[in-house]
Amino acid sequence: MKSPGILAFLVLVAGFAFVAPAAAEEERDENVETATAYYLSAAAAPGDGMSAWLLAEKLRVLPGESAESAQTISRLLEQARAGAPNDARLRGLMVREGAIPAEPIEALDSDDIVVLLLAMSRDDIQDDPVALQGLIHRAAQGGEFRPYYAAAVRSLYERFKSASVPDAYVREPGDDPALATAFSLAAFSVPSYLPWTRACRNARPPLSRDCHRLAEKIVSGSDCFIDALLAAAVLERSAEGPEQRKMAKAVRRQLGWLQQQSTRVQWNAASFSLFNELMQREGELSAFRAVLQLQGLSLVPPADYQPRPLAP
């Protein structure tokens, strides 16, 4: 078995197969058509509000929207709206895209940092530096960063397990297109970190201290690379004094090494199975650590390893 199939699968679905230029457009159209049929099949399967929203988001960005796709998107959005009252993170995602009205910031769940990060993307918050800094303070002082990516993968996987799988998506025995697709679409659940990282880039106390505390919480609670790496950069930039700077550099060094080592994995049936199991249960970082250990690849960076310097 080759790589876990995720990248190859995404390349196939996106329509960027490596084909001769003369055939590229036709190949792309076939791939999009195949992917759309798969997504429409999943849309008809049982699922929760989160999977409905993430699937609708994917269908909306596919080229060549058909009448059937438009009707399906509308139906999925209704499913998402029905689930939103009981899911603060889903509400945050939908508000970010203008699908439902925004809640007053005072009503947001201040215990869930992901909800607060999603709120930072709202237009009314980005236009109000005081409100943005207030959300950063709430997240830093009282919030908890609870992983979200693995939960989104599980939500999508439950729906796609019941979908009709195109023959083109099963290339080798053991391939699981439903899980590969769940990995891909879960990316739509990632908060936009730009408002927070931009506000913290050249911050001074007391904001810089809130930025540092929030970065600590994200690094310690994250289950995927994108959260941890972005937070580690904020952690280093906002560090005060030699001890904080030393600790921040060590965190970013460890994460950089783990990311580099993840590219050296030799994917086979055993590593693929372990990764998939842990990815759903514990998230991307835990899954890669376990696979690296399985293959005898060091989790500890050598003495001479240093990550790339932070951009000015």
Side-chain angles (χ1 to χ4, degrees):
M1 188 172 291
K2 301 172 185 174
S3 78
I6 300 170
L7 180 58
F9 181 79
L10 297 184
V11 169
L12 175 67
V13 171
F16 296 113
F18 294 103
V19 294
E25 185 172 350
E26 180 180 350
E27 182 78 9
R28 182 196 62 213
D29 291 344
E30 289 178 358
N31 290 339
V32 170
E33 183 178 339
T34 301
T36 301
Y38 189 32
Y39 298 146
L40 293 176
S41 176
D48 61 11
M50 180 62 79
S51 64
W53 171 254
L54 298 174
L55 181 52
E57 286 290 272
K58 180 61 179 181
L59 281 168
R60 287 202 294 190
V61 301
L62 285 177
E65 182 180 296
S66 65
E68 183 181 5
S69 291
Q71 293 171 359
T72 299
I73 290 170
S74 179
R75 187 173 70 252
L76 288 169
L77 291 179
E78 287 304 311
Q79 291 179 22
R81 290 189 184 99
N86 299 316
D87 189 334
R89 293 181 177 186
L90 175 57
R91 290 198 302 276
L93 290 167
M94 297 181 73
V95 167
R96 182 175 70 179
E97 302 303 324
I100 59 174
E103 300 173 74
I105 58 173
E106 300 80 15
L108 295 174
D109 179 3
S110 60
D111 185 49
D112 190 339
I113 286 176
V114 173
V115 171
L116 298 177
L117 285 168
L118 287 166
M120 293 177 200
S121 300
R122 287 167 35 174
D123 290 341
D124 59 326
I125 301 300
Q126 293 193 63
D127 292 339
D128 186 343
V130 174
L132 176 58
Q133 292 175 24
L135 285 175
I136 293 172
H137 181 73
R138 286 171 62 183
Q141 299 303 315
E144 178 185 358
F145 189 88
R146 295 186 288 272
Y148 62 91
Y149 188 78
V153 170
R154 290 193 297 270
S155 171
L156 288 158
Y157 188 44
E158 286 302 310
R159 181 180 289 269
F160 274 89
K161 282 194 299 187
S162 301
S164 298
V165 179
D167 293 340
Y169 289 175
V170 182
R171 295 182 169 185
E172 299 179 20
D175 278 357
D176 191 346
L179 190 56
T181 307
F183 289 154
S184 169
L185 271 62
F188 286 102
S189 69
V190 176
S192 172
Y193 284 96
L194 183 59
W196 170 56
T197 58
R198 187 167 51 198
C200 292
R201 191 171 187 89
N202 297 305
R204 296 185 176 187
L207 175 60
S208 62
R209 290 172 187 149
D210 284 336
C211 293
H212 192 84
R213 180 63 182 135
L214 178 51
E216 287 180 324
K217 291 184 175 186
I218 296 174
V219 165
S220 64
S222 173
D223 65 347
C224 62
F225 274 118
I226 187 171
D227 301 329
L229 289 167
L230 286 170
V234 173
L235 193 71
E236 186 170 336
R237 285 196 173 98
S238 60
E240 293 183 19
E243 285 303 311
Q244 274 196 359
R245 281 192 286 273
K246 180 180 178 181
M247 183 174 296
K249 287 180 181 295
V251 168
R252 206 167 69 84
R253 181 171 177 266
Q254 181 61 53
L255 283 168
W257 176 252
L258 179 61
Q259 185 183 39
Q260 179 174 306
Q261 288 291 79
S262 72
T263 66
R264 298 179 59 200
V265 170
Q266 298 297 311
W267 294 102
N268 53 41
S271 58
F272 189 32
S273 175
L274 178 61
F275 182 88
N276 286 348
E277 177 189 349
L278 289 178
M279 175 67 207
Q280 293 180 76
R281 193 171 73 232
E282 300 178 17
E284 182 184 34
L285 295 176
S286 293
F288 269 117
R289 288 189 186 102
V291 171
L292 290 172
Q293 289 179 314
L294 176 69
Q295 299 197 349
L297 295 169
S298 177
L299 299 179
V300 180
D304 61 350
Y305 170 76
Q306 292 298 328
R308 292 180 180 179
L310 289 174

